[in-house]
Each structure stands twice: as structure tokens, then as C-alpha cells.
Amino acid sequence: GLFSFRLKTRDVDAVRRFTDTLYYFKKAVSWGGYESLVFPAATHYKKGEAVPDDKVSLVRVHIGLEDPDVLIADLEKALKTL
């Protein structure tokens, strides 16, 4: 499945910490593969570049074929960095 959500932060560095903490999700856009992926919209912009308000906290996730409990635990661990 593919879905998006917004983190409760306006800090681009916090979004980076969140996605960098993920172990089972690779940072990439989905091309229909079986791997779990994460795409933080704000990190698409260069450091110092203005990030549009609708992109700051937006994170897109593609759930792959890994064990759901492992993926949930990975997301929970990353959320604790916020």
C-alpha cells in the first residue's frame, strides 16, 4: 500500500531525523517494487531553500512485503525522535 501522512512538526531537520532513523524503509519513490520505502517531501529541497508549507511535514510511505510488526516497530522508533 501507498499512503501519506503529516508529522506534527514544522522543522525540516526533525523530518530528516525521522526518516534517517528508519531501518527497514529505504528513502526512495515507489516504482512498484516489493521493498518498504519512505519519501519525505521536505528533504527534496536543498538545505536553506524555502519549503512550501504543504510539503514541510509530508511523508509518503510505501509498505512492502516485510513483516508488518517489524515495520510498525520501525515507525514507532522513528516517531520517538520527534
Side-chain angles (χ1 to χ4, degrees), residues 25-64:
F25 291 82
K26 294 175 177 48
K27 271 197 225 175
V29 295
S30 176
W31 290 97
Y34 61 86
E35 304 91 350
S36 290
L37 307 171
V38 63
F39 178 74
T43 61
H44 179 68
Y45 296 86
K46 294 180 179 120
K47 195 154 184 110
E49 185 178 0
V51 179
D53 285 342
D54 64 332
K55 302 285 190 230
V56 171
S57 63
L58 184 66
V59 177
R60 187 172 74 179
V61 177
H62 175 263
I63 302 299

Side-chain angles (χ1 to χ4, degrees), residues 15-34:
V15 175
R16 282 190 177 99
R17 273 194 315 277
F18 170 79
T19 57
D20 288 347
T21 302
L22 292 168
Y23 180 78
Y24 291 97
F25 291 82
K26 294 175 177 48
K27 271 197 225 175
V29 295
S30 176
W31 290 97
Y34 61 86

